[in-house]
Amino acid sequence: MEENDLQTELLQQCLTLAGLYVLGPVVTIAEAIEVCTFTPPALIIMGAKILSEAIGFSTIIEFLRCVHRTPIIVTSTVDEVGLLKKFWAIQPAAFLPKPYNIGVLLQIVKQSFPKPALDEKLYSGSAGPEQENSEIYVRDKHLLIRVPFEGILCVEAAQKYCLLRLTNGKKYSVHIPLARLLNRLKPAGFVRVHRSWLVRLRSIEYLDLSAGVIHLSDALEVPLGRFYRDDVIERLNLLD
């Protein structure tokens, strides 16, 4: 939960490089409640300013009820420290001052879990039985349509939904966070290339590193985020 786009990119990059799956990001308490209700997280990282700008104390209470017993790490700059005194009820597991690096972040993340089992679950990379499948089903009105993983070209995050773009030109909207969808698609060769985009590696025709653009097999252009570029290149069978 972070309102600053640059900090959001940095935080996601650090957690992704550590092998963690990110739900979100969100920029309001209301969005956090919706995401946490749909997919309960193992850990919450939130900015102090977001908490301070929540509309009404009742909203904060609803949020705390929704994330009951979930460890919360609060990030804050020096000039925001005073905000924490107003919201003692959150009882954060840790305080993370900005700026921070990946080493400090991961150390605090590991220390914030109440039991080692949660830490092992988060870092194990275990995806659950659903990832052993090679297909998903999407809802289209009254139909449940089978979509093989190899038929998905890329995925675009669109507000509270994800838009699946298929190789046959069809598109389907699914109500699931992008990070959770990546969890399911990653074994099929999908990689996050931008804050709002997932791409199947075999669909890539070429990367224009100077322009920050990925060209896919159907002439579709997808942005390549600077924080994701190195990870994407590492996933390629590159002969330099």
Side-chain angles (χ1 to χ4, degrees):
M1 298 171 60
E2 173 62 56
E3 78 286 347
N4 183 283
D5 289 342
L6 185 59
Q7 288 292 329
T8 297
E9 291 280 3
L10 175 61
L11 187 58
Q12 286 191 113
Q13 175 71 359
C14 289
L15 296 175
T16 300
L17 290 176
L20 306 180
Y21 298 110
V22 182
L23 294 173
V26 298
V27 296
T28 67
I29 292 290
E31 290 178 351
I33 293 173
E34 181 175 355
V35 170
C36 292
T37 301
F38 186 75
T39 308
L43 176 71
I44 295 172
I45 302 178
M46 67 183 306
K49 186 173 292 185
I50 288 181
L51 194 63
S52 70
E53 294 176 350
I55 303 175
F57 193 72
S58 60
T59 304
I60 298 175
I61 294 300
E62 181 182 356
F63 168 69
L64 295 176
R65 186 182 300 113
C66 177
V67 300
H68 182 55
R69 294 184 178 179
T70 302
I72 299 176
I73 297 176
V74 176
T75 64
S76 175
T77 58
V78 175
D79 59 344
E80 294 172 346
V81 173
L83 297 176
L84 300 181
K85 298 179 181 179
K86 299 180 180 179
F87 303 99
W88 55 268
I90 69 169
Q91 298 180 345
F95 169 73
L96 180 62
K98 302 176 186 178
Y100 48 80
N101 57 47
I102 186 171
V104 173
L105 172 64
L106 295 183
Q107 182 180 5
I108 291 181
V109 166
K110 290 180 180 181
Q111 293 174 350
S112 298
F113 287 104
K115 295 186 295 184
L118 285 176
D119 180 79
E120 292 173 4
K121 179 180 179 182
L122 187 65
Y123 283 87
S124 65
S126 175
E130 70 272 15
Q131 281 199 347
E132 298 177 0
N133 297 331
S134 59
E135 61 194 23
I136 57 176
Y137 282 80
V138 298
R139 187 184 300 275
D140 185 14
K141 297 182 180 178
H142 300 294
L143 302 177
L144 296 179
I145 300 175
R146 184 178 69 90
V147 178
F149 286 164
E150 62 267 21
I152 303 174
L153 184 68
C154 59
V155 180
E156 180 185 7
Q159 296 180 350
K160 299 178 182 179
Y161 293 84
C162 285
L163 182 65
L164 305 180
R165 296 177 181 266
L166 307 189
T167 54
N168 60 10
K170 293 183 178 180
K171 303 176 184 178
Y172 293 108
S173 294
V174 292
H175 189 16
I176 183 174
L178 189 66
R180 186 182 176 196
L181 186 56
L182 175 60
N183 188 8
R184 294 199 180 189
L185 297 179
K186 197 170 185 178
F190 283 79
V191 62
R192 193 164 191 166
V193 300
H194 185 271
R195 179 179 177 182
S196 303
W197 287 88
L198 306 179
V199 164
R200 190 165 184 252
L201 289 172
R202 295 186 61 181
S203 299
I204 297 176
E205 288 291 338
Y206 64 92
L207 284 71
D208 187 339
L209 299 180
S210 61
V213 174
I214 297 175
H215 294 258
L216 303 183
S217 53
D218 69 341
L220 178 66
E221 294 184 359
V222 172
L224 175 61
R226 65 182 185 277
F227 288 111
Y228 300 93
R229 187 176 70 170
D230 291 344
D231 183 53
V232 173
I233 293 175
E234 287 180 5
R235 297 282 301 276
L236 301 176
N237 188 14
L238 178 63
L239 296 178
D240 204 347

